Structure formats: structure tokens, C-alpha cells
Amino acid sequence: MPTLKFVSADEKVDFEDYVDLTDMDDIITFGCRSGSCGICAVRIVSGAENLSPRTSREDSLFELLGEDSPAMRLACQSRAYGDAVLDEVN
Ligand code: FES
């Protein structure tokens, strides 16, 4: 069973086939949930290959913020399909 770990929150979540990170609202802080506010930004520590591809909304917001690390994701736009370790940024 895959596991999603959150470093700063010291939490882990086991799931079956996949999990939408929007379901992690007891761990991650969300605002707009539409990819425009950036409050749900997380940094991938490991397991990037097990997350859904970065969306154009994420690309646009991170470009606007001047953040060019491919490890940055918006949790409201992401789904995990396998093991990953994330660190909340905000
Ligand atoms: S909650 Fe606003 S960008 Fe994700």
C-alpha cells in the first residue's frame, strides 16, 4: 500500500490506488483550491515520479512567483499514485 509522508507535519497517509492531495486538508492548508493563491504549495522531497504531472495552472503560478524549482507543486492540483514524501512550504 503506497504511503504519502509529510515531513514538517510528521504525518503519513496510506492509500489504495491514488489519493487527491485536496483530501489532505487536515495536514495541508488550502485556500482557493483552483491553483491561483499558492497557499497549498508543497515541495517534493522524493517520489515525484509517483505524482500526477504538473498542470499549466501550476506552471503559471510558479512562474508568476519566480519559483523555478520542479520540486514545487500545488497540492490542490496534484494526485499521488505511489510513495512520495512532501514538505509543506507555507
Ligand atoms: S489552494 Fe490556492 S493554489 Fe491551491
Side-chain angles (χ1 to χ4, degrees):
M1 180 176 288
T3 300
L4 204 51
K5 292 181 183 172
F6 296 89
V7 175
S8 52
D10 193 26
E11 297 267 1
K12 65 178 187 175
V13 177
D14 297 325
F15 58 95
E16 295 286 336
D17 298 329
Y18 65 88
V19 64
D20 288 320
L21 270 60
T22 50
D23 293 339
M24 306 292 111
D25 54 5
D26 54 336
I27 300 171
I28 301 170
T29 302
F30 289 97
C32 68
R33 293 180 182 257
S34 63
S36 58
C37 75
I39 199 167
C40 68
V42 294
R43 183 180 311 278
I44 303 169
V45 177
S46 66
E49 69 279 10
N50 293 325
L51 296 183
S52 56
R54 201 156 121 165
T55 67
S56 58
R57 285 183 181 215
E58 292 177 273
D59 288 340
S60 297
L61 184 63
F62 286 128
E63 183 178 339
L64 188 68
L65 297 174
E67 174 58 67
D68 60 359
S69 170
M72 295 299 291
R73 296 298 307 268
L74 295 175
C76 70
Q77 304 294 303
S78 306
R79 177 178 280 180
Y81 295 94
D83 292 336
V85 178
L86 304 174
D87 198 6
E88 192 171 7
V89 174
N90 295 312

